[in-house]
Amino acid sequence: MPNRFVKKLQGFSPLTDAAIRAVVKATAMPQDFGPRQHLIREGDTPGPVFAMLEGWAIRYKVLPGGSRQIMAILMPGDSCDLHMGMLEEMDHSIEAVTQSVVATIPRDVMDQIMAGHPTVARAMYVAQLIDEDTSRAWIVSMGRRNSIESTSHLLLELYIRAIRVGLIPSGVMEFPLTQAVIANALGATTVHINRVLQTLRHSGAIELRRGHLRIPDPAILVRLSGLNESYVQRRLPPQPFSRTNL
Amino acid sequence: MPNRFVKKLQGFSPLTDAAIRAVVKATAMPQDFGPRQHLIREGDTPGPVFAMLEGWAIRYKVLPGGSRQIMAILMPGDSCDLHMGMLEEMDHSIEAVTQSVVATIPRDVMDQIMAGHPTVARAMYVAQLIDEDTSRAWIVSMGRRNSIESTSHLLLELYIRAIRVGLIPSGVMEFPLTQAVIANALGATTVHINRVLQTLRHSGAIELRRGHLRIPDPAILVRLSGLNESYVQRRLPPQPFSRTNL
DNA sequence: CGTGTGGTTGATGCCTGTCAACCTCTGTGG
DNA sequence: CCACAGAGGTTGACAGGCATCAACCACACG
């Protein structure tokens, strides 16, 4: 019964049965989105909460010069809260990368759920804290890591997130991001990311082709990313990252 | 009675009287921190919520190579929630920039407040959403803006935030950040930021010296930052940004 | 079998980093 | 009251990572 979004919230903080029912009800009529289709775009009125039940999406901004920067990558279970805040219109867009199933929870509905179910409010808050952790990690990557390191770091991040939500049953990960998307996420050019990925391949850190990513030995990628060895383990549940299932 | 932190929360979402009392009580015994003093450092156990009642602080990470990246700049009223999340120890540090007054709210106390006072939970949630907005803006700056643009953007951000919390009575802003701090926030070097600031000065966009920043004509800085003109107005309350009081 | 999207390669140049001095304040102690 | 120390700021020479521009390749699909 509970969908990926509910499961993720439960992972952050226990939910009461009533809370689960409320969230399930609010996400009971999701929409399908095709690749490249916008969930919301710059200029639209913000407000709703999007919950990715299936598929990947990106949150991005196009600068006046035409260049594009991706600010977040959404995977199944992830949500993003487009609260009105101080802005009356969106200053960025969200678009599906793959075929996706997305629940749109209107602002007032979400407000009521969170007001009536403190356990949901708490879980959403924790989700938000973790999202900002990720954003901060990106800031570090873009500020102080070279392209080899930041690319390795991003691939590891996505790999870890995929494992956490149970998306890598076989050791090979579905990886729908094009090199252009990776480049737009890392603040680099497609050409340069292409060369970086080649060196990662040649060093045996990754096997990446046709929308599939395999990381034969995570230790290699960890070393290339410039992270201390313990980083990855600390962010992973004990079992699924053992060398054997990769 | 309410301190800067309470005022900021109230600005995000109305608080009940009982909620205000609870937050005031939890922040009633703040500590003083001197410049360069750590509120918490890498390796420490996370958990508490810090509320900046007075002064500035930075959230930063030191990479294996020794370089430093600042991920957030905290001003009076700001808070940061060092939830345990998935990490058992801090992977970054927070240190005071100026003489500061900081309330430390233990994890369990904050949990109880948020559980017992949904209005606080909501305000903290909104605060967190806005923090991530800021983080995302930094990502865009670091990814797709050159150093002139990103520096202009950062100065504008800080200027706007200062106005919003009433820190610029006279049109001249107290600006305690050294060029090294700005560089560490933008992912650049001190040398290069020095040159950028000089061009900003020569173009009449800023007057910056001895810990004070004046922006004679925000429009110039806005243009240099590459933002569309409306960006600044949309993020500001109507009155205090009129040309006359700058 | 053409068309398009995504991926690859090479040549060239610039933005920014690196290194290494040197300058300018401010506060302090003799 | 002056010398000194230290932090912050400034300048110049040089190098390198990555962007830019411009082709070209390879696979999937209708």
Side-chain angles (χ1 to χ4, degrees), chain A residues 5-22:
Chain A
F5 175 52
V6 174
K7 278 186 197 151
K8 183 149 190 182
L9 289 182
Q10 285 179 299
F12 291 146
S13 190
L15 302 181
T16 62
D17 289 346
I20 294 174
R21 280 195 300 275

Side-chain angles (χ1 to χ4, degrees), chain A residues 112-132:
Chain A
Q112 282 177 29
I113 292 177
M114 289 176 68
H117 302 277
T119 56
V120 175
R122 177 177 163 76
M124 286 293 290
Y125 180 63
V126 173
Q128 193 55 36
L129 288 171
I130 290 174
D131 277 359
E132 209 198 331

Side-chain angles (χ1 to χ4, degrees), chain B residues 104-181:
Chain B
T104 303
I105 308 173
R107 175 82 270 150
D108 55 343
V109 172
M110 189 43 120
D111 281 349
Q112 283 177 27
I113 292 178
M114 288 175 70
H117 302 277
T119 57
V120 175
R122 178 176 163 77
M124 286 293 289
Y125 180 64
V126 173
Q128 193 56 34
L129 289 171
I130 290 175
D131 277 359
E132 209 199 329
D133 275 348
T134 305
S135 294
R136 280 197 298 267
W138 284 34
I139 289 173
V140 174
S141 268
M142 305 183 70
R144 295 297 183 200
R145 292 196 246 259
N146 63 31
S147 53
I148 297 264
E149 293 166 342
S150 59
T151 304
S152 303
H153 192 279
L154 177 63
L155 295 180
L156 276 173
E157 176 206 316
L158 297 172
Y159 194 74
I160 292 172
R161 285 169 60 187
I163 290 179
R164 292 188 78 89
V165 292
L167 283 180
I168 311 186
S170 67
V172 179
M173 173 182 180
E174 300 253 346
F175 192 84
L177 305 184
T178 65
Q179 295 185 355
V181 168

Side-chain angles (χ1 to χ4, degrees), chain A:
Chain A
M1 183 63 162
N3 54 46
R4 284 194 189 279
F5 175 52
V6 174
K7 278 186 197 151
K8 183 149 190 182
L9 289 182
Q10 285 179 299
F12 291 146
S13 190
L15 302 181
T16 62
D17 289 346
I20 294 174
R21 280 195 300 275
V23 177
V24 166
K25 181 182 171 198
T27 54
M29 290 178 58
Q31 287 176 264
D32 289 330
F33 288 87
R36 292 274 159 104
Q37 196 176 345
H38 278 85
L39 312 202
I40 195 169
R41 56 200 326 168
E42 184 171 350
D44 286 353
T45 306
V49 174
F50 289 117
M52 300 295 300
L53 303 186
E54 300 295 338
W56 294 42
I58 54 175
R59 206 161 168 171
Y60 72 92
K61 182 175 177 64
V62 174
L63 294 242
S67 61
R68 182 171 89 152
Q69 178 63 47
I70 293 172
M71 302 174 293
I73 296 172
L74 302 174
M75 287 167 56
D78 291 337
S79 60
C80 62
D81 188 330
L82 274 24
H83 74 118
M84 319 255 193
M86 53 197 75
L87 293 182
E88 284 164 14
E89 55 180 61
M90 292 292 294
D91 66 342
H92 63 274
S93 307
I94 300 175
E95 84 176 23
V97 172
T98 66
Q99 188 70 34
S100 302
V101 181
V102 183
T104 302
I105 309 173
R107 176 82 270 150
D108 55 343
V109 172
M110 188 44 119
D111 281 349
Q112 282 177 29
I113 292 177
M114 289 176 68
H117 302 277
T119 56
V120 175
R122 177 177 163 76
M124 286 293 290
Y125 180 63
V126 173
Q128 193 55 36
L129 288 171
I130 290 174
D131 277 359
E132 209 198 331
D133 274 349
T134 305
S135 293
R136 279 197 299 267
W138 283 34
I139 289 174
V140 173
S141 268
M142 305 184 69
R144 296 296 183 202
R145 293 197 245 260
N146 62 31
S147 52
I148 296 264
E149 292 166 343
S150 59
T151 304
S152 303
H153 191 278
L154 178 64
L155 294 181
L156 276 172
E157 177 207 315
L158 296 173
Y159 195 74
I160 292 173
R161 286 169 59 187
I163 290 180
R164 292 190 76 90
V165 292
L167 283 180
I168 311 187
S170 66
V172 179
M173 172 181 180
E174 299 252 347
F175 192 84
L177 305 184
T178 65
Q179 295 185 357
V181 168
I182 298 173
N184 286 337
L186 294 172
T189 59
T190 306
V191 172
H192 196 240
I193 291 303
N194 178 280
R195 299 195 231 260
V196 167
L197 289 176
Q198 286 180 53
T199 77
L200 292 186
R201 275 195 278 249
H202 292 151
S203 61
I206 61 172
E207 290 170 21
L208 174 61
R209 69 200 183 298
R210 310 243 134 272
H212 293 273
L213 172 65
R214 207 173 81 89
I215 301 186
D217 181 0
I220 299 177
L221 205 52
V222 169
R223 183 169 46 72
L224 288 171
S225 73
L227 293 166
N228 35 349
E229 304 286 334
S230 61
Y231 175 91
V232 176
Q233 272 90 29
R234 286 206 315 262
R235 283 165 204 263
L236 270 181
Q239 342 67 313
F241 204 60
S242 65
R243 199 62 46 81
T244 54
N245 74 346
L246 295 177

Side-chain angles (χ1 to χ4, degrees), chain B residues 33-34 36-42 60 93-96:
Chain B
F33 288 86
R36 294 274 157 104
Q37 196 177 344
H38 278 85
L39 312 202
I40 195 168
R41 58 200 326 167
E42 185 171 350
Y60 72 92
S93 307
I94 300 175
E95 87 177 21

